[in-house]
Amino acid sequence: AVVVSTVDTRRRLPENPVRSITSGCGRGVTFISPYHRDRLPPLTEAEPPIHPEAILARMKDLQGVSERFRLTGAVHSAALALHDRIIKVADDIGRHNAVDKVIGWALRSLWPLPPGAMLLSTGRLSSEIVVKSVRARVSVLVSHSAPTLGAVQLAHDLGLTLIGFARGSRCNVYTHTRRIAL
């Protein structure tokens, strides 16, 4: 079952850049606020809607092809996928690094991305991951984990379809449901 979740996107996080600890692994510090929407053009492309079954199947595929994750449970995996198949998978101890590896590969090998491309992740969806997806022009971001409030707000503002808790036969669609065949 697909659950369309509502999050109050009117309650805003601070807009001004401040020194803060990032939600990534380690001791990352940032002075760049991902909330500067004027520097990130929103995703407005019209794409064929993706069936929830295809999203869940690609997440299952990701968990099946990530041998390191399956053996250790200590790494994150990310993938670039289409409706019917995974195109590229990367593993890393850091969820940001796994996403960076997949996006880097796509920029070198498959640019522009085909319509309906999805970015899949095994990690929590933070605002930084949303920014990476939008900058790469991937309009659907999926994880089997949860998104942060900042990620949901930013995805809403930037036109990104954000999906969390994609496991088994369920997923939560947080923003821009127009890309999902409900």
Side-chain angles (χ1 to χ4, degrees):
V2 174
V3 177
V4 177
S5 298
T6 58
V7 173
D8 185 0
T9 57
R10 295 170 299 174
R11 197 180 100 221
R12 308 307 303 173
L13 296 175
E15 297 285 332
N16 297 328
V18 293
R19 182 180 183 273
S20 65
I21 305 299
T22 66
S23 60
C25 301
R27 296 181 184 199
V29 175
T30 183
F31 289 92
I32 300 171
S33 173
Y35 303 102
H36 288 192
R37 288 175 275 300
D38 58 333
R39 296 188 184 152
L40 295 168
L43 298 165
T44 57
E45 297 84 277
E47 298 175 9
I50 302 169
H51 289 276
E53 297 80 15
I55 294 165
L56 295 168
R58 296 305 72 79
M59 282 302 296
K60 184 177 180 182
D61 292 347
L62 174 59
Q63 292 171 335
V65 299
S66 177
E67 185 175 339
R68 287 185 188 117
F69 179 75
R70 197 171 58 253
L71 291 174
T72 68
V75 297
H76 286 286
S77 299
L80 187 65
L82 297 176
H83 297 249
D84 60 343
R85 70 186 183 284
I86 288 181
I87 300 171
K88 177 67 176 174
V89 175
D91 295 320
D92 198 281
I93 196 160
R95 60 191 164 92
H96 289 268
N97 295 343
V99 167
D100 289 344
K101 287 177 179 181
V102 169
I103 290 174
W105 174 87
L107 292 174
R108 286 189 321 269
S109 308
L110 191 67
W111 197 258
L113 295 174
M118 297 180 279
L119 181 59
L120 310 176
S121 173
T122 59
R124 179 175 28 94
L125 299 175
S126 63
S127 57
E128 297 93 352
I129 301 290
V130 167
V131 167
K132 291 172 192 239
S133 186
V134 171
R135 290 183 71 195
R137 310 311 290 167
V138 178
S139 58
V140 178
L141 177 58
V142 185
S143 179
H144 82 269
S145 289
T148 64
L149 175 60
V152 174
Q153 290 175 343
L154 197 57
H156 175 268
D157 292 348
L158 294 174
L160 176 74
T161 299
L162 187 67
I163 301 169
F165 295 108
R167 317 170 175 177
S169 62
R170 295 181 51 98
C171 63
N172 293 348
V173 182
Y174 293 93
T175 58
H176 298 282
T177 59
R178 70 182 183 274
R179 293 190 184 97
I180 309 302
L182 298 173

